[in-house]
Amino acid sequence: MIDRHLHRSFSVVICVYTQQRWEDILAAVDSVRRQSMPPTETLLVVDHNEALRMRLRARYGSVSPADGGEVRVLANAGPRGLSAGRNTGIAAARGEFVAFLDDDAVAERDWLRYLAAGYGDPRVMAVGGRTLPAWSSGSRPVWFPEEFDWIVGCTYRGLPPGRVRVRNVLGGNASFRRTAFDSAGGFATGIGRDGDRRPLGCEETELCIRLSRALPHAVLLIDDRAVIHHKVPPARTRFAYFRERAYAEGLSKALVARSVGAGKGLESERRYATRVLPAGVARGLRDAVRGPGRGRGGAGRAGAIVAGVLTTATGYLVGTARARRGPVTFSSGPITPAAAPVPGPAATTAPATEPAASAPPAAASPISASPVSAPARESPRGAVV
């Protein structure tokens, strides 16, 4: 059980980039403001889209902070992309902890409270949660394997339940101590979504590895009770997107391995590839031989896993070859606190058109996990005892 009297100071950062997600953004903010442990503030960081920024200022300019915390709308102060947007939010954050939520996701009511519960030990520098897919079609495609849910930014099959120690948290459902960024810097702007057409990622992986190097005794956790629901539009349920995202993941992993070394950059991927995926293929084939009904889609899932592995490996090889031809340069901090904003009138109307937007937030990459030996002793169901 979580302590209902626990309260920690959280700033929640939601990076946004397009008016096409207007209703999703409102739903995300509403889910934060309805938390059982309300945040100190919600920071909406707009990625170089003035029309959207002005519209959001008009929407939230008169919202009372007394119920659900203050809502502040900020412009991305760095280059176009998700990493710079997150860094802008970190720099402006007033809370002791900074949580991140995707703009097309909604958090369950106790999301922040479960994240906060993980920080009882001062060694804990980051706590993430579980991200479940919300399929716009109403159901998971029969061929889409749960082992590859990271393709659509969600927690994948293969992670143990409860609260576990991990190598890295998932960027769309994560929190950090504000002091973690003082030690390790922010999200690297030379990796991940930066306006490129490919759905690159791994910026949270690189940050977490860098954080663990800066603070060798740091503990990073995931608590699967801190749940969000991430929208999966029809375009991301197509096999073409599956392959494109897997290839981009390989490219991104090559950059991370080049930056932090293949040993640390790929340690969880080795376990994932040698244990989780073979078990998924075997499960799919076993379901297939059962015939119609329970076996529906089994062969497709097994085939998708094999195709995903091969496509990701191809991307990694291509990315490695490219990285060898030139230096890998990441800009990652330190994070400088933002200056106090200059008061100004909120816009009452939004222009009819909006500038070209950056690419949407990337799906998170696989993470490693091992049972937590500290800081909390836990029951098999993951509740702190």
Side-chain angles (χ1 to χ4, degrees), residues 40-249:
T40 300
E41 60 186 354
T42 301
L43 304 177
L44 291 170
V45 183
V46 184
D47 193 14
H48 297 273
N49 187 329
E50 187 64 10
L52 177 58
R53 188 181 74 86
M54 297 299 283
R55 188 179 181 188
L56 287 169
R57 284 187 63 190
R59 172 65 177 79
Y60 290 108
S62 60
V63 171
S64 172
D67 182 20
E70 182 181 5
V71 178
R72 291 197 283 153
V73 180
L74 311 172
N76 180 359
R80 187 185 300 276
L82 181 59
S83 290
R86 286 173 173 167
N87 291 343
T88 298
I90 295 165
R94 300 166 181 161
E96 182 184 1
F97 304 92
V98 183
F100 299 93
L101 180 68
D102 279 345
D103 65 342
D104 55 353
V106 293
E108 292 191 359
R109 181 169 171 78
D110 285 330
W111 173 61
L112 279 182
R113 192 176 292 277
Y114 280 122
L115 292 181
Y119 288 104
D121 189 304
R123 294 175 299 167
V124 176
M125 289 289 116
V127 180
R130 180 162 51 116
T131 302
L132 300 178
W135 306 97
S136 296
S137 61
S139 61
R140 172 188 295 273
V142 294
W143 61 269
F144 203 113
E146 293 180 13
E147 290 81 1
F148 272 79
D149 275 3
W150 55 267
I151 289 280
V152 292
C154 297
T155 303
Y156 67 95
R157 183 169 188 161
L159 287 175
R163 184 188 291 175
V164 294
R165 189 168 180 173
V166 295
R167 180 194 67 182
N168 64 276
V169 294
L170 302 175
N173 179 7
S175 66
F176 294 83
R177 287 188 189 271
R178 179 61 181 77
T179 55
F181 303 107
D182 297 333
S183 300
F187 289 90
T189 56
I191 191 173
R193 298 284 181 141
D194 60 359
D196 188 79
R197 291 183 179 180
R198 289 195 185 280
L200 299 172
C202 293
E203 59 269 35
E204 67 275 356
T205 302
E206 194 274 340
L207 169 62
C208 290
I209 293 174
R210 188 164 16 97
L211 174 60
S212 295
R213 286 184 170 180
L215 300 172
H217 299 296
V219 174
L220 286 68
L221 303 174
I222 280 185
D223 189 332
D224 68 0
R225 300 169 298 177
V227 177
I228 71 169
H229 299 265
H230 186 247
K231 184 177 180 179
V232 184
R236 296 192 180 186
T237 63
R238 298 170 184 157
F239 189 64
Y241 179 83
F242 182 92
R243 290 184 300 172
E244 180 185 17
R245 179 68 189 91
Y247 181 77
E249 180 71 10

Side-chain angles (χ1 to χ4, degrees), residues 1-2 117-118 163 223 225 375-379 381-385:
M1 296 293 292
I2 56 176
R163 184 188 291 175
D223 189 332
R225 300 169 298 177
R377 182 171 59 89
E378 304 190 5
S379 70
R381 297 182 61 136
V384 178
V385 296

